[in-house]
Amino acid sequence: MEGVTDRELETMQWVHAARGGDAVAFGKLFEHLAPALYTWADLRLRGNQRAHVEPSDVVQEVWLRA
């Protein structure tokens, strides 16, 4: 695919395989995306929210639902 990096292609392959029930691909997807998701949650949770929710809780909830 034009304009798609090798890493993006690999991520898309993991997503496709995980959707098909591949637990190994799901684990690789988690390892790849969890740090970015944690950083996003860390930047988004502010003030009073921080007293009730930790970024790691957001990551855990997202992956539990996935």
Side-chain angles (χ1 to χ4, degrees), residues 2-65:
E2 190 174 321
V4 177
T5 67
D6 289 342
R7 191 65 170 162
E8 290 169 329
L9 183 59
E10 184 176 42
T11 301
M12 288 186 277
Q13 289 170 340
W14 289 333
V15 168
H16 180 71
R19 284 182 176 167
D22 184 335
V24 173
F26 188 81
K28 288 180 181 180
L29 191 59
F30 174 81
E31 290 174 10
H32 176 65
L33 296 177
L37 180 58
Y38 180 90
T39 300
W40 178 87
D42 189 42
L43 292 170
R44 299 292 296 188
L45 293 171
R46 298 282 184 212
N48 194 32
Q49 291 175 323
R50 272 297 169 126
H52 303 288
V53 180
E54 291 290 325
S56 58
D57 293 335
V58 173
V59 173
Q60 179 180 348
E61 185 66 24
V62 167
W63 287 102
L64 178 65
R65 291 176 186 231

